Amino acid sequence: MAPKTQTTALFLCLLICISTTSSTYGRKTQPRRPCKELVFYFHDILYLGYNPHNATAAIVASPKWGNKTAMAKPFNFGDLVVFDDPITLDNNLHSPPVGRAQGMYLYDQWSIYGAWLGFSFLFNSTDHVGTLNFAGADPLINKTRDISVIGGTGDFFMARGVATVSTDAFEGDVYFRLRVDIRLYECW
Amino acid sequence: MAPKTQTTALFLCLLICISTTSSTYGRKTQPRRPCKELVFYFHDILYLGYNPHNATAAIVASPKWGNKTAMAKPFNFGDLVVFDDPITLDNNLHSPPVGRAQGMYLYDQWSIYGAWLGFSFLFNSTDHVGTLNFAGADPLINKTRDISVIGGTGDFFMARGVATVSTDAFEGDVYFRLRVDIRLYECW
Amino acid sequence: MAPKTQTTALFLCLLICISTTSSTYGRKTQPRRPCKELVFYFHDILYLGYNPHNATAAIVASPKWGNKTAMAKPFNFGDLVVFDDPITLDNNLHSPPVGRAQGMYLYDQWSIYGAWLGFSFLFNSTDHVGTLNFAGADPLINKTRDISVIGGTGDFFMARGVATVSTDAFEGDVYFRLRVDIRLYECW
């Protein structure tokens, strides 16, 4: 190795060192390149008094002016819904579920439709074993909404990322289907 | 470059390498230097039966001994409140909102006032587009309370940090104003 | 330092540089070595109408077919419980509490017992001052369940990790004790 090459390599190395070191201080400079990408659909059938046998979700809290078998007016504000929804790989409600989406959504906008989501995906299949945990705002007026992947366990140990949620279908208050594009940026 | 300088640089580089590498194992050694700091106020006007026109929040769940137009005794324990509150840059309720704080607080202390918070800040202005997601305990007896920034989207993509919440004003059960000092320690 | 040794060191350094740099891109390659491990127990006594004096938790929301003094059938689905539970170092309810577990659990499974958890541990003792924030799924059919540590404050500033929850005891609907094995993988 010629001294000049060596010196060049040394400078290159120093440069990498410095940029790497600085990236571990507060501000990260990672490119926004996902380490894992997943797409799922989940299906929500709300209990509205007449459908106990196929409902997957139920209103459990509502404002003073609401009740548990109809969405509150206006804009469902104040309705808290608990759900246990099947997750599928495609947009067919009758496809074999690959997991369950479980948790809550909470309508929290007075002047448009919007919700706050806190839920988990639970997987126990040949493809995935583990959970992904989500939290974030779901302003339904937007075609796509980004929420946070705040953690994971099992195959998704310590995962963080962003999930892009879009309403793939809805039928009145009783049924909706969400498509969730998950991009993990921290994988372990 | 003289050999001695080169050797010194090499050792320096090795040292940086090693310290950097070790910092990527479990325990991080970053200084607690925020990569972004933001201060906001948000304003909560609770529906108490008589104020439907200016309320921004409503009790949607309460314990057996509570109801939806008054806080439960003692210490509001068990009251779950959904809110859609304006965010302002200063402590004036009538300043132009720069976003909305949406989600829930849940009074969860039997012997003092305290709540659990799960909510988001939604921005769509010239300054910020995106969301910040928060979760944590809010023991109201303390002058300042730290909660977690558990994620973010848009301008706040993948953000993590700590938000220091303080009660800037309150008027009985009906109105309070929180000051939120957000310090992000992970920015992308 | 002989040129050969120097060259070897340089290559070694470059290698470390590169591996370190690559680990800061999306996919992390850290070994799963906790930076902090903690074990706690917490004790939940549910209000069921007859026990106001020692209850630590209360049903605050339930589905149409439920109420606030008994768990809903089947599988408690739709019951939202707010809790303020003592944390102890051992499995004795009467041991001196070292903190409080505060937040909610939400039964969200139709066909087995399972819940979604959103809560915090609050410490203010000689051992720990600060909070840990948790979220995740708790499918009770499993002996152990992993949830996410989504953030922390004070002594647990910016913490992330996984908590393994197991039911250490339960007495009907009224009392249960959870053991929580916390492993933090991000410490600051």
Side-chain angles (χ1 to χ4, degrees), chain B residues 116-138:
Chain B
W116 196 80
L117 308 177
F119 67 98
S120 301
F121 275 9
L122 288 79
F123 298 103
N124 188 6
S125 70
T126 46
D127 284 340
H128 306 292
V129 176
T131 66
L132 282 167
N133 301 318
F134 302 84
D138 184 21

Side-chain angles (χ1 to χ4, degrees), chain A residues 110-124:
Chain A
W110 281 102
S111 55
I112 48 170
Y113 288 99
W116 196 79
L117 308 177
F119 67 98
S120 301
F121 275 8
L122 288 80
F123 298 102
N124 189 6

Side-chain angles (χ1 to χ4, degrees), chain C residues 84-132:
Chain C
D84 177 2
D85 292 350
I87 300 172
T88 58
L89 293 176
D90 61 18
N91 65 1
N92 187 339
L93 169 61
H94 302 292
S95 292
V98 297
R100 306 295 294 181
Q102 297 176 336
M104 63 168 182
Y105 51 90
L106 176 62
Y107 288 94
D108 65 354
Q109 301 202 357
W110 282 104
S111 54
I112 47 169
Y113 288 100
W116 197 81
L117 308 176
F119 67 98
S120 301
F121 275 9
L122 288 79
F123 298 103
N124 189 6
S125 70
T126 46
D127 284 339
H128 307 291
V129 176
T131 66
L132 281 167

